[in-house]
Amino acid sequence: NAGVTQTPKFRILKIGQSMTLQCAQDMNHNYMYWYRQDPGMGLKLIYYSVGAGITDKGEVPNGYNVSRSTTEDFPLRLELAAPSQTSVYFCASSWTRPRRDTEAFFGQGTRLTVV
Amino acid sequence: EDQVTQSPEALRLQEGESSSLNCSYTVSGLRGLFWYRQDPGKGPEFLFTLYSAGEEKEKERLKATLTKKESFLHITAPKPEDSATYLCAVQAKENFGNEKLTFGTGTRLTIIP
């Protein structure tokens, strides 16, 4: 049972570089999300997607972009990395209503350091 | 704005010493309150969803309860493997999926053998 798979697990970027964090899920969930988790802070939503071809901004979208060409994949793009983007990034997926079981399933995270 | 406050920030217990974690919330109509467990270096792992005041759910040594203002995660006779950070999150009624899921900062629980 793969669930939600994120790659890479760790990455160090230099200021101004770009990269894509990969996320794939095999549960056929329609919703997918990207969160960031900083020490002492709750998980903050960056972007989410309600299905292939549809994305929307969360609380902290600046400096990031996403796309959703398939149900399974939801990559997060960082353009012009900045030290403020040093964080742990989590991808998650879930069902939505009318199903009642809308809990999110999370990947193992990508620890990103921008130097 | 939806808000979630968890207390205490950290809790150290002896093995077998029962206790409770608190999650206080403010939300414009609660659709669901979620509890997650997070181990160091891992993603959050789903534990429970509670939908209405008075609801309770149990799993092994954990029991979650819900009132109109807060939720408790009761841990009975904990073992060292229960050590983790426990996260609480709320979802407002008008939102589909989890796009407006608001998380607390968590309680870091350590069980000492």
Side-chain angles (χ1 to χ4, degrees):
Chain A
N1 296 331
V4 179
T5 303
Q6 291 184 237
T7 56
K9 287 188 169 55
F10 304 94
R11 183 71 185 268
I12 298 174
L13 276 183
K14 292 185 178 179
I15 295 172
Q17 286 186 322
S18 300
M19 76 164 293
T20 299
L21 281 65
Q22 301 293 342
C23 175
Q25 55 97 2
D26 62 359
M27 296 172 281
N28 204 31
H29 287 161
N30 52 339
Y31 266 68
M32 294 187 76
Y33 319 84
W34 275 105
Y35 289 89
R36 60 178 287 172
Q37 187 176 41
D38 299 306
M41 307 288 286
L43 286 154
K44 299 294 184 185
L45 183 65
I46 305 171
Y47 270 96
Y48 67 98
S49 168
V50 305
I54 306 170
T55 62
D56 207 347
K57 296 177 181 179
E59 293 178 80
V60 289
N62 292 343
Y64 307 95
N65 277 300
V66 293
S67 60
R68 183 117 179 253
S69 56
T70 67
T71 299
E72 296 78 19
D73 300 301
F74 190 41
L76 177 72
R77 178 83 177 162
L78 278 71
E79 304 283 2
L80 299 175
S84 60
Q85 293 178 305
T86 294
S87 187
V88 182
Y89 291 85
F90 289 101
C91 178
S93 70
S94 73
W95 293 111
T96 55
R97 287 182 287 178
R99 291 180 66 112
R100 198 180 193 198
D101 50 341
T102 60
E103 64 271 13
F105 293 85
F106 285 80
Q108 294 295 291
T110 295
R111 184 175 295 275
L112 175 68
T113 303
V114 181
V115 297
Chain B
E1 183 179 326
D2 302 340
Q3 288 189 327
V4 177
T5 303
Q6 291 188 247
S7 61
E9 287 187 15
L11 181 63
R12 291 171 63 89
L13 300 172
Q14 294 290 328
E15 183 173 1
E17 181 185 1
S18 301
S19 189
S20 297
L21 312 183
N22 178 262
C23 171
S24 297
Y25 66 90
T26 303
V27 66
S28 54
L30 181 70
R31 163 161 171 71
L33 184 140
F34 302 81
W35 281 99
Y36 286 85
R37 169 193 170 124
Q38 186 174 24
D39 293 300
K42 301 285 184 67
E45 176 186 346
F46 172 74
L47 292 173
F48 305 109
T49 310
L50 300 168
Y51 294 102
S52 56
E55 189 175 0
E56 299 181 352
K57 287 193 177 171
E58 288 188 66
K59 180 179 179 180
E60 295 182 355
R61 295 174 292 281
L62 300 176
K63 178 179 176 180
T65 61
L66 181 65
T67 72
K68 289 186 177 180
K69 293 184 179 181
E70 57 191 350
S71 176
F72 291 95
L73 185 65
H74 305 279
I75 302 177
T76 302
K79 298 181 178 181
E81 54 261 42
D82 295 321
S83 297
T85 296
Y86 290 85
L87 301 173
C88 172
V90 296
Q91 182 185 30
K93 228 174 214 181
E94 69 271 15
N95 299 309
F96 289 101
N98 286 302
E99 74 274 21
K100 299 297 184 184
L101 202 61
T102 301
F103 280 86
T105 53
T107 293
R108 187 172 65 255
L109 177 67
T110 304
I111 307 300
I112 305 162

